[in-house]
Short mmCIF file of all heavy atoms in Angstrom, two decimals:
data_model
loop_
_atom_site.label_atom_id
_atom_site.label_comp_id
_atom_site.label_asym_id
_atom_site.label_seq_id
_atom_site.Cartn_x
_atom_site.Cartn_y
_atom_site.Cartn_z
N ARG A 17 -51.98 235.94 102.61
CA ARG A 17 -51.84 237.00 103.60
C ARG A 17 -52.26 238.38 103.09
O ARG A 17 -51.49 239.35 103.16
CB ARG A 17 -50.40 237.03 104.12
CG ARG A 17 -50.02 235.78 104.89
CD ARG A 17 -48.59 235.80 105.38
NE ARG A 17 -48.33 234.69 106.29
CZ ARG A 17 -47.12 234.41 106.79
NH1 ARG A 17 -46.08 235.14 106.46
NH2 ARG A 17 -46.98 233.40 107.62
N PRO A 18 -53.47 238.49 102.58
CA PRO A 18 -53.93 239.79 102.09
C PRO A 18 -54.31 240.71 103.26
O PRO A 18 -54.63 240.25 104.35
CB PRO A 18 -55.18 239.43 101.28
CG PRO A 18 -55.73 238.24 102.00
CD PRO A 18 -54.52 237.46 102.47
N ASP A 19 -54.30 242.01 103.01
CA ASP A 19 -54.76 242.97 104.02
C ASP A 19 -56.28 243.05 104.01
O ASP A 19 -56.92 243.21 105.05
CB ASP A 19 -54.19 244.36 103.73
CG ASP A 19 -52.69 244.41 103.90
OD1 ASP A 19 -52.16 243.65 104.74
OD2 ASP A 19 -52.03 245.20 103.19
N VAL A 20 -56.87 242.97 102.80
CA VAL A 20 -58.32 243.16 102.62
C VAL A 20 -58.93 241.87 102.10
O VAL A 20 -58.39 241.25 101.18
CB VAL A 20 -58.61 244.31 101.63
CG1 VAL A 20 -60.12 244.54 101.50
CG2 VAL A 20 -57.90 245.59 102.05
N ILE A 21 -60.07 241.48 102.68
CA ILE A 21 -60.78 240.29 102.22
C ILE A 21 -62.18 240.70 101.81
O ILE A 21 -62.93 241.28 102.61
CB ILE A 21 -60.84 239.20 103.31
CG1 ILE A 21 -59.43 238.77 103.71
CG2 ILE A 21 -61.64 237.99 102.81
CD1 ILE A 21 -59.40 237.79 104.87
N VAL A 22 -62.55 240.40 100.56
CA VAL A 22 -63.88 240.69 100.04
C VAL A 22 -64.63 239.36 99.92
O VAL A 22 -64.14 238.43 99.28
CB VAL A 22 -63.81 241.37 98.65
CG1 VAL A 22 -65.22 241.69 98.14
CG2 VAL A 22 -62.96 242.63 98.72
N LEU A 23 -65.80 239.29 100.53
CA LEU A 23 -66.60 238.06 100.50
C LEU A 23 -67.95 238.35 99.88
O LEU A 23 -68.73 239.16 100.40
CB LEU A 23 -66.78 237.50 101.92
CG LEU A 23 -65.48 237.14 102.64
CD1 LEU A 23 -65.24 238.13 103.78
CD2 LEU A 23 -65.52 235.72 103.20
N ASP A 24 -68.24 237.68 98.78
CA ASP A 24 -69.49 237.88 98.05
C ASP A 24 -70.51 236.85 98.53
O ASP A 24 -70.38 235.66 98.24
CB ASP A 24 -69.23 237.74 96.55
CG ASP A 24 -70.41 238.17 95.70
OD1 ASP A 24 -71.51 238.37 96.26
OD2 ASP A 24 -70.25 238.31 94.48
N GLU A 25 -71.51 237.30 99.27
CA GLU A 25 -72.59 236.43 99.77
C GLU A 25 -72.02 235.17 100.44
O GLU A 25 -72.32 234.03 100.02
CB GLU A 25 -73.53 236.04 98.62
CG GLU A 25 -74.25 237.22 97.98
CD GLU A 25 -75.45 237.71 98.79
OE1 GLU A 25 -75.68 237.18 99.89
OE2 GLU A 25 -76.13 238.63 98.31
N PRO A 26 -71.21 235.32 101.47
CA PRO A 26 -70.53 234.16 102.05
C PRO A 26 -71.45 233.16 102.75
O PRO A 26 -71.03 232.04 103.02
CB PRO A 26 -69.57 234.79 103.07
CG PRO A 26 -70.23 236.08 103.46
CD PRO A 26 -70.87 236.57 102.19
N THR A 27 -72.71 233.55 103.05
CA THR A 27 -73.60 232.63 103.77
C THR A 27 -74.68 232.02 102.89
O THR A 27 -75.53 231.28 103.38
CB THR A 27 -74.27 233.35 104.95
OG1 THR A 27 -75.05 234.45 104.46
CG2 THR A 27 -73.23 233.88 105.93
N THR A 28 -74.65 232.32 101.59
CA THR A 28 -75.67 231.78 100.69
C THR A 28 -75.62 230.25 100.68
O THR A 28 -74.56 229.65 100.55
CB THR A 28 -75.46 232.29 99.26
OG1 THR A 28 -75.63 233.71 99.25
CG2 THR A 28 -76.46 231.68 98.29
N GLY A 29 -76.77 229.62 100.85
CA GLY A 29 -76.85 228.17 100.80
C GLY A 29 -76.49 227.47 102.09
O GLY A 29 -76.50 226.24 102.15
N LEU A 30 -76.18 228.24 103.15
CA LEU A 30 -75.83 227.63 104.43
C LEU A 30 -77.04 227.65 105.37
O LEU A 30 -77.85 228.58 105.32
CB LEU A 30 -74.67 228.40 105.09
CG LEU A 30 -73.37 228.52 104.29
CD1 LEU A 30 -72.33 229.27 105.11
CD2 LEU A 30 -72.85 227.14 103.91
N ASP A 31 -77.14 226.64 106.23
CA ASP A 31 -78.17 226.68 107.25
C ASP A 31 -77.74 227.65 108.35
O ASP A 31 -76.66 228.25 108.28
CB ASP A 31 -78.44 225.28 107.82
CG ASP A 31 -77.21 224.64 108.45
OD1 ASP A 31 -76.24 225.35 108.76
OD2 ASP A 31 -77.23 223.40 108.63
N TYR A 32 -78.59 227.83 109.36
CA TYR A 32 -78.32 228.85 110.38
C TYR A 32 -76.99 228.58 111.08
O TYR A 32 -76.19 229.50 111.28
CB TYR A 32 -79.45 228.90 111.41
CG TYR A 32 -79.25 229.95 112.47
CD1 TYR A 32 -79.46 231.30 112.18
CD2 TYR A 32 -78.83 229.61 113.75
CE1 TYR A 32 -79.25 232.29 113.14
CE2 TYR A 32 -78.62 230.59 114.71
CZ TYR A 32 -78.84 231.92 114.40
OH TYR A 32 -78.63 232.89 115.36
N ARG A 33 -76.73 227.32 111.43
CA ARG A 33 -75.48 227.00 112.11
C ARG A 33 -74.29 227.29 111.21
O ARG A 33 -73.29 227.85 111.66
CB ARG A 33 -75.48 225.53 112.53
CG ARG A 33 -74.21 225.11 113.24
CD ARG A 33 -74.28 223.66 113.69
NE ARG A 33 -73.05 223.24 114.32
CZ ARG A 33 -72.84 222.01 114.81
NH1 ARG A 33 -73.81 221.11 114.74
NH2 ARG A 33 -71.68 221.70 115.35
N GLY A 34 -74.40 226.91 109.94
CA GLY A 34 -73.31 227.17 109.00
C GLY A 34 -73.06 228.66 108.82
O GLY A 34 -71.91 229.10 108.71
N MET A 35 -74.15 229.44 108.77
CA MET A 35 -74.01 230.88 108.64
C MET A 35 -73.29 231.46 109.85
O MET A 35 -72.40 232.30 109.71
CB MET A 35 -75.39 231.53 108.51
CG MET A 35 -75.35 233.02 108.30
SD MET A 35 -76.93 233.85 108.64
CE MET A 35 -76.89 233.88 110.44
N GLN A 36 -73.68 231.00 111.05
CA GLN A 36 -73.04 231.50 112.26
C GLN A 36 -71.55 231.17 112.28
O GLN A 36 -70.71 232.00 112.64
CB GLN A 36 -73.72 230.90 113.50
CG GLN A 36 -75.13 231.42 113.75
CD GLN A 36 -75.13 232.88 114.16
OE1 GLN A 36 -75.40 233.77 113.36
NE2 GLN A 36 -74.81 233.15 115.40
N GLU A 37 -71.22 229.94 111.88
CA GLU A 37 -69.81 229.53 111.86
C GLU A 37 -69.01 230.38 110.87
O GLU A 37 -67.89 230.81 111.18
CB GLU A 37 -69.70 228.05 111.50
CG GLU A 37 -70.19 227.11 112.58
CD GLU A 37 -70.09 225.65 112.17
OE1 GLU A 37 -69.79 225.39 110.98
OE2 GLU A 37 -70.31 224.77 113.02
N MET A 38 -69.58 230.61 109.69
CA MET A 38 -68.87 231.38 108.69
C MET A 38 -68.66 232.82 109.17
O MET A 38 -67.56 233.38 109.06
CB MET A 38 -69.64 231.37 107.37
CG MET A 38 -69.05 232.26 106.28
SD MET A 38 -67.29 231.95 105.92
CE MET A 38 -67.36 230.24 105.41
N MET A 39 -69.71 233.43 109.72
CA MET A 39 -69.59 234.84 110.11
C MET A 39 -68.73 235.01 111.36
O MET A 39 -68.07 236.03 111.52
CB MET A 39 -70.97 235.45 110.31
CG MET A 39 -71.74 235.64 109.00
SD MET A 39 -70.76 236.43 107.67
CE MET A 39 -70.31 237.98 108.44
N GLU A 40 -68.71 234.02 112.24
CA GLU A 40 -67.79 234.10 113.38
C GLU A 40 -66.35 233.99 112.90
O GLU A 40 -65.45 234.64 113.45
CB GLU A 40 -68.12 233.01 114.40
CG GLU A 40 -69.37 233.31 115.22
CD GLU A 40 -69.30 234.64 115.94
OE1 GLU A 40 -68.25 234.94 116.56
OE2 GLU A 40 -70.29 235.41 115.89
N LEU A 41 -66.12 233.19 111.86
CA LEU A 41 -64.80 233.14 111.24
C LEU A 41 -64.43 234.50 110.68
O LEU A 41 -63.31 235.00 110.89
CB LEU A 41 -64.78 232.09 110.13
CG LEU A 41 -63.56 232.11 109.18
CD1 LEU A 41 -62.27 231.91 109.95
CD2 LEU A 41 -63.73 231.05 108.09
N VAL A 42 -65.36 235.13 109.96
CA VAL A 42 -65.09 236.45 109.39
C VAL A 42 -64.83 237.47 110.50
O VAL A 42 -63.95 238.31 110.39
CB VAL A 42 -66.27 236.90 108.50
CG1 VAL A 42 -66.05 238.32 107.99
CG2 VAL A 42 -66.44 235.94 107.32
N ARG A 43 -65.59 237.37 111.60
CA ARG A 43 -65.36 238.28 112.72
C ARG A 43 -63.94 238.11 113.28
O ARG A 43 -63.25 239.10 113.58
CB ARG A 43 -66.38 238.03 113.83
CG ARG A 43 -66.38 239.12 114.91
CD ARG A 43 -66.94 238.58 116.23
NE ARG A 43 -68.35 238.25 116.19
CZ ARG A 43 -69.35 239.10 116.41
NH1 ARG A 43 -69.09 240.37 116.68
NH2 ARG A 43 -70.60 238.68 116.37
N ARG A 44 -63.51 236.85 113.42
CA ARG A 44 -62.16 236.61 113.93
C ARG A 44 -61.09 237.17 112.99
O ARG A 44 -60.07 237.72 113.45
CB ARG A 44 -61.94 235.11 114.15
CG ARG A 44 -62.75 234.51 115.27
CD ARG A 44 -62.22 233.13 115.68
NE ARG A 44 -62.22 232.17 114.59
CZ ARG A 44 -63.25 231.39 114.28
NH1 ARG A 44 -64.38 231.47 114.96
NH2 ARG A 44 -63.15 230.51 113.29
N LEU A 45 -61.32 237.03 111.69
CA LEU A 45 -60.37 237.59 110.71
C LEU A 45 -60.30 239.10 110.86
O LEU A 45 -59.22 239.69 110.79
CB LEU A 45 -60.79 237.21 109.30
CG LEU A 45 -60.75 235.73 108.95
CD1 LEU A 45 -61.28 235.49 107.54
CD2 LEU A 45 -59.33 235.19 109.09
N HIS A 46 -61.44 239.73 111.08
CA HIS A 46 -61.44 241.19 111.28
C HIS A 46 -60.69 241.55 112.55
O HIS A 46 -59.87 242.49 112.55
CB HIS A 46 -62.89 241.70 111.34
CG HIS A 46 -62.99 243.15 111.60
ND1 HIS A 46 -63.54 243.67 112.75
CD2 HIS A 46 -62.59 244.22 110.86
CE1 HIS A 46 -63.48 244.99 112.71
NE2 HIS A 46 -62.91 245.34 111.58
N GLU A 47 -60.96 240.83 113.61
CA GLU A 47 -60.30 241.12 114.88
C GLU A 47 -58.79 240.90 114.81
O GLU A 47 -58.03 241.53 115.56
CB GLU A 47 -60.91 240.27 115.99
CG GLU A 47 -62.35 240.67 116.33
CD GLU A 47 -63.01 239.72 117.32
OE1 GLU A 47 -62.45 238.62 117.54
OE2 GLU A 47 -64.09 240.07 117.82
N SER A 48 -58.35 240.04 113.89
CA SER A 48 -56.91 239.79 113.73
C SER A 48 -56.23 240.84 112.87
O SER A 48 -55.01 240.79 112.68
CB SER A 48 -56.68 238.39 113.14
OG SER A 48 -57.08 238.35 111.78
N GLY A 49 -57.02 241.79 112.33
CA GLY A 49 -56.41 242.91 111.61
C GLY A 49 -56.80 243.06 110.16
O GLY A 49 -56.39 244.03 109.51
N HIS A 50 -57.58 242.14 109.60
CA HIS A 50 -57.98 242.24 108.21
C HIS A 50 -59.09 243.28 108.02
O HIS A 50 -59.98 243.41 108.86
CB HIS A 50 -58.49 240.89 107.69
CG HIS A 50 -57.45 239.83 107.60
ND1 HIS A 50 -56.52 239.79 106.58
CD2 HIS A 50 -57.16 238.79 108.41
CE1 HIS A 50 -55.73 238.75 106.75
NE2 HIS A 50 -56.09 238.13 107.85
N THR A 51 -59.03 243.98 106.92
CA THR A 51 -60.14 244.82 106.48
C THR A 51 -61.13 243.91 105.78
O THR A 51 -60.74 243.11 104.93
CB THR A 51 -59.66 245.92 105.52
OG1 THR A 51 -58.65 246.70 106.17
CG2 THR A 51 -60.81 246.82 105.08
N ILE A 52 -62.42 244.02 106.12
CA ILE A 52 -63.44 243.10 105.62
C ILE A 52 -64.50 243.86 104.83
O ILE A 52 -65.03 244.86 105.30
CB ILE A 52 -64.12 242.34 106.77
CG1 ILE A 52 -63.10 241.53 107.58
CG2 ILE A 52 -65.23 241.44 106.22
CD1 ILE A 52 -62.46 240.38 106.86
N LEU A 53 -64.81 243.35 103.63
CA LEU A 53 -65.97 243.82 102.85
C LEU A 53 -66.84 242.61 102.56
O LEU A 53 -66.36 241.60 102.02
CB LEU A 53 -65.53 244.44 101.52
CG LEU A 53 -65.11 245.90 101.52
CD1 LEU A 53 -63.70 246.04 102.09
CD2 LEU A 53 -65.15 246.46 100.12
N VAL A 54 -68.10 242.69 102.92
CA VAL A 54 -69.04 241.60 102.69
C VAL A 54 -70.21 242.12 101.86
O VAL A 54 -70.77 243.19 102.15
CB VAL A 54 -69.58 241.03 104.02
CG1 VAL A 54 -70.66 239.99 103.76
CG2 VAL A 54 -68.45 240.43 104.85
N ILE A 55 -70.57 241.36 100.83
CA ILE A 55 -71.79 241.63 100.06
C ILE A 55 -72.85 240.67 100.56
O ILE A 55 -72.60 239.47 100.67
CB ILE A 55 -71.57 241.39 98.55
CG1 ILE A 55 -70.43 242.26 98.03
CG2 ILE A 55 -72.85 241.66 97.77
CD1 ILE A 55 -69.98 241.87 96.63
N THR A 56 -74.04 241.18 100.88
CA THR A 56 -75.07 240.29 101.38
C THR A 56 -76.47 240.86 101.16
O THR A 56 -76.64 242.07 100.99
CB THR A 56 -74.89 240.01 102.89
OG1 THR A 56 -75.77 238.96 103.30
CG2 THR A 56 -75.16 241.25 103.72
N HIS A 57 -77.46 239.95 101.17
CA HIS A 57 -78.86 240.33 101.21
C HIS A 57 -79.45 240.08 102.60
O HIS A 57 -80.61 240.39 102.84
CB HIS A 57 -79.68 239.50 100.20
CG HIS A 57 -79.47 239.91 98.78
ND1 HIS A 57 -78.49 239.36 97.98
CD2 HIS A 57 -80.10 240.84 98.01
CE1 HIS A 57 -78.54 239.92 96.77
NE2 HIS A 57 -79.51 240.81 96.77
N ASP A 58 -78.65 239.52 103.50
CA ASP A 58 -79.14 239.10 104.80
C ASP A 58 -79.00 240.25 105.81
O ASP A 58 -77.90 240.56 106.27
CB ASP A 58 -78.34 237.88 105.28
CG ASP A 58 -78.93 237.23 106.52
OD1 ASP A 58 -79.62 237.93 107.29
OD2 ASP A 58 -78.68 236.03 106.73
N MET A 59 -80.13 240.86 106.16
CA MET A 59 -80.08 242.01 107.06
C MET A 59 -79.76 241.62 108.50
O MET A 59 -79.27 242.43 109.28
CB MET A 59 -81.42 242.77 107.02
CG MET A 59 -81.70 243.42 105.69
SD MET A 59 -80.40 244.59 105.16
CE MET A 59 -79.65 243.66 103.81
N ARG A 60 -80.01 240.37 108.88
CA ARG A 60 -79.58 239.91 110.21
C ARG A 60 -78.06 239.95 110.29
O ARG A 60 -77.50 240.35 111.32
CB ARG A 60 -80.07 238.49 110.46
CG ARG A 60 -81.58 238.35 110.64
CD ARG A 60 -81.95 236.90 110.84
NE ARG A 60 -81.47 236.07 109.74
CZ ARG A 60 -81.45 234.75 109.75
NH1 ARG A 60 -81.87 234.08 110.82
NH2 ARG A 60 -81.01 234.06 108.70
N LEU A 61 -77.41 239.54 109.23
CA LEU A 61 -75.96 239.59 109.18
C LEU A 61 -75.47 241.03 109.30
O LEU A 61 -74.52 241.32 110.03
CB LEU A 61 -75.48 238.95 107.86
CG LEU A 61 -74.00 238.81 107.58
CD1 LEU A 61 -73.79 237.69 106.56
CD2 LEU A 61 -73.40 240.09 107.03
N VAL A 62 -76.12 241.94 108.59
CA VAL A 62 -75.75 243.36 108.66
C VAL A 62 -75.86 243.86 110.09
O VAL A 62 -74.94 244.51 110.61
CB VAL A 62 -76.65 244.20 107.73
CG1 VAL A 62 -76.34 245.69 107.88
CG2 VAL A 62 -76.49 243.77 106.28
#
């Protein structure tokens, strides 16, 4: 139950569907009140 979640390249090695599922999960965590920090090279994700 942390307040802040840091994710280092959470979509690396995932196909497009896997990336979407992971980032929608991260979006839901943010909407539920978590502070989110993501490191990425994927500008579509940004």
Side-chain angles (χ1 to χ4, degrees):
R17 294 179 171 175
D19 294 329
V20 183
I21 300 175
V22 181
L23 300 110
D24 190 348
E25 298 281 4
T27 61
T28 296
L30 302 182
D31 59 18
Y32 182 75
R33 180 177 178 180
M35 183 197 78
Q36 290 292 101
E37 289 179 352
M38 175 54 60
M39 290 312 302
E40 285 303 315
L41 167 59
V42 176
R43 191 204 293 273
R44 291 195 301 272
L45 295 176
H46 177 245
E47 291 173 347
S48 71
H50 293 283
T51 303
I52 301 293
L53 276 77
V54 174
I55 303 168
T56 190
H57 286 90
D58 190 335
M59 294 303 109
R60 291 178 304 168
L61 183 157
V62 176

